[in-house]
Amino acid sequence: MPTAPSVTAEAFTRLAEVLPGLTVTELAAGEPAPSGGGWVAAAELAAGGAALEAFLAWDDAQVLRDHAVRARPDVVASFGLHRYAWPACLLITAPWFLSRRVPRFPVTHVSYDRTGDTMRMAVRAPASFACLPGDPAAALPGARVVPDEEALRAEVRAAVAEHHEPVLAGFGPRTRRRARALWGMVTDETVEGLWYVAQLMGEEEQRRARRELELLLPGATRPYVGSAAFRELTGPDGESLPTRDRASCCMFYTVRPEDTCVTCPRTRDTDRVTKLLAAATG
């Protein structure tokens, strides 16, 4: 008999609609996680062994192919961590933003493949999740009903941290970054992943995501570093240009010094305005 949709199915379906470059498949009970090809289990990345070496070899080859330079090993590791953490954060933030449900996905429940035309993640349907009173899912097994939105935000912070703590232990020695810098990366991926997806949903959802993220990460919420850090710049014709200040640097400037990210702490506001205007007209 067909099984009932999981508590995250609707959010992941909506995510795939607006971001077809990322698909999330929920495994049926007893279904083995995908393996072979480009698939890697998050637990293997956390272990920091041969699977992580193979994972980072893809980043090393990509930089050489696309930019004709060899990146430093610590830069390659930073690229690899960014490319995993960005979609991994969405496994938690997308159901929170879209359905007000916060699933728990330990590293043993997630697999990832970014070697094809799209990013693919396979997850086991969450055994536990947090939700608000009045959610129809509150009566389901595994539901943890929390009293209000702030308590639900605390669940988001805890779920993202639970997943990434072992991942950072695997990547950390290769990135040559200390804990604060690593958690700064997780902070940035948490904010920028959801902010990007919300932009694809329209201006109203983009504004809502900004408000939600400012409440989620107001600062002083360890282990996260800083706040959501949104701010407004003004264009030459008085237009408002939203941006934010990253808590970390992705190190892309070491590959192409002339080309920094628009939210990079190294990018001056005048350059940000230029980049933002170009993106708006492009």
Side-chain angles (χ1 to χ4, degrees):
M1 294 181 64
T3 58
S6 80
V7 296
T8 51
E10 183 178 350
F12 290 152
T13 297
R14 177 64 174 140
L15 180 63
E17 289 173 352
V18 298
L19 185 63
L22 170 63
T23 59
V24 180
T25 300
E26 293 187 283
L27 302 172
E31 181 181 359
S35 61
W39 284 102
V40 61
E44 292 179 301
L45 298 179
L52 178 57
E53 292 293 345
F55 183 83
L56 295 179
W58 187 93
D59 295 279
D60 186 41
Q62 178 270 322
V63 173
L64 185 61
R65 181 184 67 248
D66 293 353
H67 305 291
V69 297
R70 178 77 71 182
R72 299 192 323 243
D74 61 305
V75 173
V76 169
S78 294
F79 289 174
L81 176 56
H82 157 67
R83 287 162 173 165
Y84 175 78
W86 194 91
C89 287
L90 284 169
L91 293 177
I92 297 161
T93 59
W96 165 64
F97 183 71
L98 295 170
S99 304
R100 313 319 281 173
R101 297 170 184 170
V102 181
R104 292 292 181 110
F105 289 116
V107 292
T108 52
H109 286 44
V110 177
S111 298
Y112 179 50
D113 175 20
R114 46 70 182 274
T115 60
D117 294 334
T118 62
M119 296 180 288
R120 298 186 295 169
M121 304 199 89
V123 301
R124 300 215 170 275
S128 66
F129 65 97
C131 64
L132 294 169
D135 188 325
L140 295 177
R144 297 191 314 280
V145 181
V146 298
D148 53 32
E149 291 282 0
E150 178 49 38
L152 198 65
R153 287 189 284 269
E155 291 286 340
V156 176
R157 294 189 290 265
V160 172
E162 176 189 62
H163 182 84
H164 283 86
E165 185 173 12
V167 172
L168 297 185
F171 278 90
R174 290 168 172 79
T175 65
R176 299 175 62 187
R177 298 190 186 200
R178 295 187 177 182
R180 179 177 174 82
L182 291 170
W183 283 108
M185 290 185 69
V186 176
T187 303
D188 289 328
E189 310 311 344
T190 300
V191 175
E192 296 196 353
L194 184 60
W195 192 33
Y196 177 77
V197 168
Q199 290 179 57
L200 301 177
M201 298 178 181
E203 291 185 8
E204 183 176 345
E205 288 294 81
Q206 180 183 359
R207 288 193 295 270
R208 183 169 77 88
R210 175 171 171 169
R211 294 193 302 269
E212 297 274 12
L213 288 164
E214 288 173 332
L215 292 169
L216 178 69
L217 294 170
T221 49
R222 294 182 178 181
Y224 303 96
V225 177
S227 67
F230 289 108
R231 60 191 179 93
E232 298 287 331
L233 297 175
T234 302
D237 296 323
E239 59 269 65
S240 178
L241 301 171
T243 187
R244 69 175 297 267
D245 295 314
R246 288 180 60 90
S248 68
C249 178
C250 71
M251 308 297 286
F252 187 66
Y253 79 94
T254 64
V255 175
R256 292 181 59 182
E258 73 284 359
D259 190 4
T260 57
C261 304
V262 70
T263 57
C264 178
R266 293 174 173 269
T267 304
R268 298 176 299 178
D269 281 358
T270 52
D271 294 330
R272 290 189 187 212
V273 168
T274 300
K275 290 174 182 287
L276 289 167
L277 288 173
T281 60

